[in-house]
Amino acid sequence: MDEAWAILRQARRFQQQAPERRLSGRRLLLLFYEPSTRTRTSFEVAARRLGAETVSVTAQSSSIEKGESLLDTVYTLQAMAVDGIVIRHAASGAPHLVARNVHSTVINAGDGMHEHPTQALLDGYTLWRHFGRLEGLEIAIVGDILHSRVARSNLLLLTQLGARVRLCGPRTLLPPALAEAYGPRVRATYRLEDALDAVDAVMVLRLQMERMQAGFFPNEAEYAREYGLTPERLRLASPQALVMHPGPMIRGVEISAEVADSPQSVIREQVENGVLIRMAVLDRLLGQTAAQGAPAMMAKG
Ligand code: ASP
Protein backbone atom coordinates (compact mmCIF):
# COMPACT_ATOMS: atom_id res chain seq x y z
CA MET A 1 0.00 0.00 0.00
CA ASP A 2 3.05 2.26 0.01
CA GLU A 3 2.43 2.62 -3.70
CA ALA A 4 -1.12 3.87 -3.11
CA TRP A 5 0.03 6.37 -0.49
CA ALA A 6 2.77 7.60 -2.79
CA ILE A 7 0.14 8.31 -5.46
CA LEU A 8 -2.19 10.05 -3.00
CA ARG A 9 0.65 12.24 -1.71
CA GLN A 10 1.80 13.09 -5.21
CA ALA A 11 -1.79 14.07 -6.12
CA ARG A 12 -1.78 16.39 -3.11
CA ARG A 13 1.47 17.99 -4.25
CA PHE A 14 -0.04 18.57 -7.69
CA GLN A 15 -3.10 20.08 -6.02
CA GLN A 16 -0.98 22.51 -4.01
CA GLN A 17 1.38 23.50 -6.75
CA ALA A 18 0.96 23.60 -10.52
CA PRO A 19 3.38 21.01 -11.92
CA GLU A 20 6.03 21.68 -14.52
CA ARG A 21 5.71 19.91 -17.86
CA ARG A 22 7.61 16.90 -16.61
CA LEU A 23 6.26 14.43 -19.16
CA SER A 24 7.13 16.58 -22.11
CA GLY A 25 7.92 14.44 -25.18
CA ARG A 26 6.06 11.40 -23.84
CA ARG A 27 3.20 9.98 -25.87
CA LEU A 28 0.12 8.37 -24.34
CA LEU A 29 -2.39 6.25 -26.21
CA LEU A 30 -5.96 6.29 -24.89
CA LEU A 31 -7.62 3.12 -26.12
CA PHE A 32 -11.28 3.02 -25.16
CA TYR A 33 -13.41 0.04 -26.15
CA GLU A 34 -16.31 1.06 -23.92
CA PRO A 35 -18.04 4.45 -23.72
CA SER A 36 -16.49 6.85 -21.25
CA THR A 37 -16.77 10.57 -20.63
CA ARG A 38 -15.03 11.29 -17.35
CA THR A 39 -12.22 8.77 -17.34
CA ARG A 40 -11.00 9.40 -20.87
CA THR A 41 -11.18 13.18 -20.61
CA SER A 42 -9.58 13.05 -17.21
CA PHE A 43 -6.57 11.06 -18.45
CA GLU A 44 -6.31 13.40 -21.41
CA VAL A 45 -6.35 16.56 -19.28
CA ALA A 46 -3.92 15.00 -16.80
CA ALA A 47 -1.47 13.98 -19.53
CA ARG A 48 -1.55 17.41 -21.16
CA ARG A 49 -1.07 19.24 -17.87
CA LEU A 50 2.17 17.31 -17.51
CA GLY A 51 3.19 18.13 -21.06
CA ALA A 52 2.58 14.67 -22.59
CA GLU A 53 1.00 14.17 -25.99
CA THR A 54 -2.17 12.07 -26.27
CA VAL A 55 -3.65 9.99 -29.07
CA SER A 56 -7.22 8.89 -28.55
CA VAL A 57 -8.74 5.81 -30.18
CA THR A 58 -12.32 4.79 -29.48
CA ALA A 59 -14.19 1.70 -30.64
CA GLN A 60 -16.59 3.76 -32.74
CA SER A 61 -13.92 5.43 -34.83
CA SER A 62 -11.35 2.77 -35.61
CA SER A 63 -10.64 -0.66 -37.05
CA ILE A 64 -11.82 -2.05 -33.72
CA GLU A 65 -15.30 -1.77 -35.19
CA LYS A 66 -14.19 -3.83 -38.17
CA GLY A 67 -13.40 -6.74 -35.88
CA GLU A 68 -9.64 -6.37 -35.53
CA SER A 69 -8.40 -8.32 -32.52
CA LEU A 70 -7.34 -6.45 -29.39
CA LEU A 71 -3.69 -7.47 -29.72
CA ASP A 72 -3.52 -6.64 -33.44
CA THR A 73 -4.88 -3.17 -32.71
CA VAL A 74 -2.39 -2.70 -29.91
CA TYR A 75 0.59 -3.91 -32.00
CA THR A 76 -0.36 -1.52 -34.80
CA LEU A 77 -0.69 1.42 -32.47
CA GLN A 78 2.43 0.58 -30.54
CA ALA A 79 4.40 0.78 -33.75
CA MET A 80 3.69 4.52 -33.54
CA ALA A 81 6.03 4.73 -30.57
CA VAL A 82 3.73 5.29 -27.63
CA ASP A 83 5.21 5.30 -24.13
CA GLY A 84 2.00 4.38 -22.35
CA ILE A 85 -1.37 2.81 -23.14
CA VAL A 86 -4.48 3.61 -21.11
CA ILE A 87 -7.06 0.97 -21.83
CA ARG A 88 -10.73 0.47 -21.07
CA HIS A 89 -12.32 -2.78 -22.17
CA ALA A 90 -15.53 -4.72 -21.50
CA ALA A 91 -13.57 -7.94 -20.90
CA SER A 92 -12.14 -8.44 -17.42
CA GLY A 93 -8.40 -9.00 -17.73
CA ALA A 94 -7.94 -7.26 -21.10
CA PRO A 95 -5.31 -4.79 -19.75
CA HIS A 96 -3.31 -7.72 -18.35
CA LEU A 97 -3.33 -9.44 -21.72
CA VAL A 98 -2.07 -6.27 -23.38
CA ALA A 99 0.55 -5.67 -20.68
CA ARG A 100 1.97 -9.16 -21.21
CA ASN A 101 2.40 -8.51 -24.91
CA VAL A 102 3.75 -4.98 -25.25
CA HIS A 103 6.74 -3.07 -23.98
CA SER A 104 4.82 0.11 -23.11
CA THR A 105 3.40 0.95 -19.72
CA VAL A 106 -0.22 -0.19 -19.52
CA ILE A 107 -2.79 1.51 -17.31
CA ASN A 108 -6.16 -0.06 -16.58
CA ALA A 109 -8.98 2.47 -17.04
CA GLY A 110 -11.69 -0.08 -16.22
CA ASP A 111 -11.94 -3.72 -17.33
CA GLY A 112 -15.34 -5.37 -17.34
CA MET A 113 -16.52 -6.24 -13.84
CA HIS A 114 -12.97 -6.57 -12.58
CA GLU A 115 -11.19 -3.34 -11.62
CA HIS A 116 -11.01 0.42 -12.04
CA PRO A 117 -7.89 1.32 -10.05
CA THR A 118 -7.70 5.07 -10.73
CA GLN A 119 -11.37 5.45 -9.72
CA ALA A 120 -10.65 3.86 -6.34
CA LEU A 121 -7.56 6.04 -5.92
CA LEU A 122 -9.54 9.20 -6.63
CA ASP A 123 -12.25 8.07 -4.22
CA GLY A 124 -9.63 7.37 -1.56
CA TYR A 125 -8.07 10.76 -2.25
CA THR A 126 -11.45 12.51 -1.90
CA LEU A 127 -12.02 10.83 1.48
CA TRP A 128 -8.48 11.64 2.64
CA ARG A 129 -8.86 15.27 1.53
CA HIS A 130 -12.00 15.65 3.68
CA PHE A 131 -11.20 13.57 6.72
CA GLY A 132 -7.41 13.75 6.80
CA ARG A 133 -7.30 9.98 7.31
CA LEU A 134 -8.74 6.73 6.01
CA GLU A 135 -8.03 4.60 9.06
CA GLY A 136 -11.24 3.84 10.92
CA LEU A 137 -13.63 5.46 8.42
CA GLU A 138 -16.93 3.67 7.82
CA ILE A 139 -17.91 3.67 4.16
CA ALA A 140 -21.17 2.36 2.66
CA ILE A 141 -21.13 1.23 -0.97
CA VAL A 142 -24.69 0.95 -2.22
CA GLY A 143 -26.21 -0.52 -5.35
CA ASP A 144 -25.16 -2.87 -8.10
CA ILE A 145 -22.13 -4.38 -6.39
CA LEU A 146 -22.12 -7.54 -8.50
CA HIS A 147 -21.30 -5.80 -11.79
CA SER A 148 -19.16 -3.04 -10.33
CA ARG A 149 -15.43 -2.73 -10.94
CA VAL A 150 -15.60 0.50 -8.92
CA ALA A 151 -16.78 -1.47 -5.89
CA ARG A 152 -14.09 -4.14 -6.32
CA SER A 153 -11.24 -1.67 -6.63
CA ASN A 154 -12.53 0.35 -3.69
CA LEU A 155 -12.89 -2.76 -1.56
CA LEU A 156 -9.24 -3.58 -2.14
CA LEU A 157 -7.92 -0.08 -1.64
CA LEU A 158 -10.07 1.24 1.21
CA THR A 159 -9.73 -1.84 3.40
CA GLN A 160 -5.98 -1.90 2.95
CA LEU A 161 -5.80 1.76 3.90
CA GLY A 162 -7.68 1.01 7.11
CA ALA A 163 -11.33 1.85 6.34
CA ARG A 164 -14.29 -0.45 6.93
CA VAL A 165 -16.79 -1.06 4.15
CA ARG A 166 -20.49 -1.94 4.30
CA LEU A 167 -21.85 -3.30 1.05
CA CYS A 168 -25.57 -2.88 0.41
CA GLY A 169 -27.87 -3.81 -2.45
CA PRO A 170 -30.56 -6.31 -3.43
CA ARG A 171 -29.60 -9.97 -2.94
CA THR A 172 -29.39 -10.52 -6.69
CA LEU A 173 -26.76 -7.77 -6.98
CA LEU A 174 -24.81 -8.56 -3.82
CA PRO A 175 -23.64 -12.17 -3.50
CA PRO A 176 -22.58 -12.86 0.13
CA ALA A 177 -19.34 -14.51 -1.07
CA LEU A 178 -18.25 -11.23 -2.59
CA ALA A 179 -18.18 -9.48 0.78
CA GLU A 180 -16.46 -12.45 2.44
CA ALA A 181 -13.68 -12.41 -0.15
CA TYR A 182 -12.42 -9.05 1.11
CA GLY A 183 -11.87 -9.99 4.73
CA PRO A 184 -13.09 -8.87 8.15
CA ARG A 185 -13.26 -5.14 7.39
CA VAL A 186 -16.14 -5.76 4.96
CA ARG A 187 -19.71 -6.74 5.69
CA ALA A 188 -22.83 -7.08 3.56
CA THR A 189 -26.32 -5.96 4.42
CA TYR A 190 -29.51 -5.90 2.39
CA ARG A 191 -31.14 -3.08 4.38
CA LEU A 192 -30.16 0.41 3.35
CA GLU A 193 -31.02 1.83 6.79
CA ASP A 194 -28.49 -0.56 8.33
CA ALA A 195 -25.80 0.35 5.79
CA LEU A 196 -26.27 4.07 6.31
CA ASP A 197 -26.34 4.12 10.10
CA ALA A 198 -23.69 6.68 11.21
CA VAL A 199 -21.45 6.12 8.16
CA ASP A 200 -18.80 8.67 7.16
CA ALA A 201 -19.46 8.38 3.43
CA VAL A 202 -21.94 6.78 1.06
CA MET A 203 -20.75 5.70 -2.35
CA VAL A 204 -23.72 5.21 -4.65
CA LEU A 205 -23.31 2.98 -7.71
CA ARG A 206 -25.10 2.98 -11.04
CA LEU A 207 -27.21 0.00 -12.10
CA GLN A 208 -24.96 -1.49 -14.80
CA MET A 209 -27.75 -2.48 -17.18
CA GLU A 210 -25.24 -3.19 -19.96
CA ARG A 211 -23.86 -6.08 -17.89
CA MET A 212 -27.25 -7.55 -16.95
CA GLN A 213 -28.62 -10.33 -19.08
CA ALA A 214 -31.51 -11.20 -16.81
CA GLY A 215 -33.98 -9.45 -14.50
CA PHE A 216 -31.91 -8.65 -11.41
CA PHE A 217 -34.62 -6.39 -9.95
CA PRO A 218 -38.34 -5.85 -10.74
CA ASN A 219 -38.09 -2.32 -12.19
CA GLU A 220 -36.37 1.00 -11.60
CA ALA A 221 -39.20 2.44 -9.49
CA GLU A 222 -39.07 -0.56 -7.17
CA TYR A 223 -35.28 -0.31 -6.95
CA ALA A 224 -35.51 3.41 -6.13
CA ARG A 225 -38.03 2.68 -3.38
CA GLU A 226 -35.73 0.17 -1.69
CA TYR A 227 -32.25 1.51 -2.41
CA GLY A 228 -32.50 5.04 -3.77
CA LEU A 229 -30.59 7.58 -1.66
CA THR A 230 -33.08 10.23 -0.54
CA PRO A 231 -32.60 13.16 1.89
CA GLU A 232 -34.53 11.28 4.63
CA ARG A 233 -32.27 8.26 4.32
CA LEU A 234 -29.13 10.35 4.20
CA ARG A 235 -30.05 11.72 7.63
CA LEU A 236 -29.24 8.29 9.07
CA ALA A 237 -25.58 8.79 8.16
CA SER A 238 -23.18 10.89 10.21
CA PRO A 239 -24.00 14.64 9.89
CA GLN A 240 -20.72 15.27 8.00
CA ALA A 241 -21.14 12.23 5.76
CA LEU A 242 -20.00 12.64 2.16
CA VAL A 243 -22.12 11.52 -0.77
CA MET A 244 -20.08 10.07 -3.62
CA HIS A 245 -20.85 8.64 -7.06
CA PRO A 246 -18.39 7.55 -9.76
CA GLY A 247 -20.79 8.67 -12.49
CA PRO A 248 -22.63 8.50 -14.71
CA MET A 249 -25.46 8.83 -12.20
CA ILE A 250 -29.10 8.22 -12.87
CA ARG A 251 -30.99 10.81 -10.91
CA GLY A 252 -34.27 9.59 -9.48
CA VAL A 253 -33.18 5.94 -9.52
CA GLU A 254 -30.10 5.32 -7.37
CA ILE A 255 -29.88 8.89 -6.04
CA SER A 256 -32.38 11.72 -5.75
CA ALA A 257 -31.54 15.03 -7.41
CA GLU A 258 -31.76 16.72 -4.02
CA VAL A 259 -29.06 14.49 -2.54
CA ALA A 260 -26.87 14.67 -5.66
CA ASP A 261 -26.89 18.48 -5.44
CA SER A 262 -26.76 18.77 -1.64
CA PRO A 263 -23.82 20.37 0.21
CA GLN A 264 -22.80 16.90 1.35
CA SER A 265 -22.30 15.76 -2.23
CA VAL A 266 -18.69 15.66 -3.44
CA ILE A 267 -19.54 14.18 -6.82
CA ARG A 268 -18.09 17.10 -8.79
CA GLU A 269 -15.05 17.24 -6.58
CA GLN A 270 -14.44 13.56 -7.39
CA VAL A 271 -14.05 14.58 -11.03
CA GLU A 272 -11.54 17.28 -10.11
CA ASN A 273 -9.63 14.84 -7.90
CA GLY A 274 -9.66 12.34 -10.74
CA VAL A 275 -7.42 14.62 -12.80
CA LEU A 276 -4.95 14.99 -9.90
CA ILE A 277 -4.84 11.24 -9.32
CA ARG A 278 -4.31 10.48 -12.99
CA MET A 279 -1.54 13.06 -13.12
CA ALA A 280 0.10 11.34 -10.17
CA VAL A 281 -0.27 7.90 -11.79
CA LEU A 282 1.08 9.06 -15.16
CA ASP A 283 3.95 10.88 -13.53
CA ARG A 284 4.87 7.83 -11.51
CA LEU A 285 4.64 5.37 -14.38
CA LEU A 286 5.80 7.34 -17.39
CA GLY A 287 8.25 9.40 -15.37
CA GLN A 288 9.76 6.18 -14.01
CA THR A 289 9.97 4.67 -17.46
CA ALA A 290 11.91 7.73 -18.51
CA ALA A 291 14.26 7.52 -15.54
CA GLN A 292 14.98 3.81 -15.62
CA GLY A 293 14.40 2.98 -19.26
CA ALA A 294 12.25 0.08 -18.10
CA PRO A 295 8.54 -0.49 -18.56
CA ALA A 296 6.26 -0.08 -15.59
CA MET A 297 2.84 -1.60 -15.43
CA MET A 298 -0.27 -0.80 -13.56
CA ALA A 299 -2.77 -3.15 -15.06
CA LYS A 300 -3.94 -4.16 -11.63
CA GLY A 301 -5.24 -2.23 -8.61
N1 ASP B 1 -17.75 5.14 -14.61
C1 ASP B 1 -17.67 3.98 -13.79
C2 ASP B 1 -17.07 2.82 -14.55
O1 ASP B 1 -16.61 2.98 -15.65
C3 ASP B 1 -18.96 3.63 -13.14
C4 ASP B 1 -20.12 3.34 -14.05
O2 ASP B 1 -19.98 3.28 -15.26
O3 ASP B 1 -21.21 3.14 -13.51
O4 ASP B 1 -17.05 1.72 -14.04
Side-chain angles (χ1 to χ4, degrees), residues 39 88 116 119 149-150 206 208 210 246-248:
T39 307
R88 162 162 299 186
H116 194 349
Q119 176 70 46
R149 53 196 177 206
V150 174
R206 181 176 65 91
Q208 313 244 320
E210 71 276 24

Side-chain angles (χ1 to χ4, degrees), residues 60-246:
Q60 295 78 25
S61 62
S62 63
S63 294
I64 295 170
E65 226 200 353
K66 300 182 186 158
E68 186 174 63
S69 85
L70 171 60
L71 285 180
D72 281 336
T73 304
V74 170
Y75 291 145
T76 307
L77 295 168
Q78 208 198 12
M80 297 172 197
V82 293
D83 301 289
I85 302 175
V86 176
I87 178 168
R88 162 162 299 186
H89 201 283
S92 302
H96 298 263
L97 176 73
V98 173
R100 277 198 301 275
N101 287 280
V102 299
H103 298 296
S104 316
T105 295
V106 175
I107 299 173
N108 183 357
D111 64 326
M113 291 160 43
H114 181 224
E115 287 223 32
H116 194 349
T118 55
Q119 176 70 46
L121 285 162
L122 79 88
D123 291 335
Y125 184 72
T126 304
L127 291 163
W128 184 47
R129 202 170 154 174
H130 281 266
F131 294 103
R133 66 187 166 97
L134 287 160
E135 182 72 44
L137 291 184
E138 291 276 341
I139 316 292
I141 304 184
V142 179
D144 180 1
I145 314 286
L146 176 66
H147 301 104
S148 177
R149 53 196 177 206
V150 174
R152 285 179 180 78
S153 282
N154 265 300
L155 279 162
L156 273 180
L157 184 79
L158 297 178
T159 54
Q160 290 187 47
L161 297 181
R164 304 181 77 84
V165 180
R166 303 176 199 173
L167 295 175
C168 180
R171 276 169 206 278
T172 46
L173 296 173
L174 172 50
L178 201 150
E180 286 157 22
Y182 291 88
R185 288 176 185 272
V186 180
R187 71 177 173 89
T189 171
Y190 302 103
R191 286 188 58 241
L192 186 55
E193 289 69 20
D194 180 25
L196 294 178
D197 184 30
V199 280
D200 298 298
V202 194
M203 230 175 249
V204 185
L205 301 176
R206 181 176 65 91
L207 286 167
Q208 313 244 320
M209 305 300 280
E210 71 276 24
R211 301 191 212 287
M212 296 186 200
Q213 271 98 44
F216 283 85
F217 56 94
N219 55 55
E220 287 186 352
E222 181 84 359
Y223 179 86
R225 228 179 350 263
E226 290 287 320
Y227 292 102
L229 189 60
T230 57
E232 302 73 54
R233 285 173 168 162
L234 182 58
R235 279 196 274 280
L236 298 170
S238 125
Q240 312 79 31
L242 303 182
V243 174
M244 305 171 75
H245 195 304

Side-chain angles (χ1 to χ4, degrees), residues 7 10-11 14 275-285:
I7 292 169
Q10 184 60 47
F14 284 147
V275 174
L276 296 170
I277 281 295
R278 285 162 185 135
M279 283 165 74
V281 167
L282 292 175
D283 183 58
R284 196 165 175 79
L285 298 183

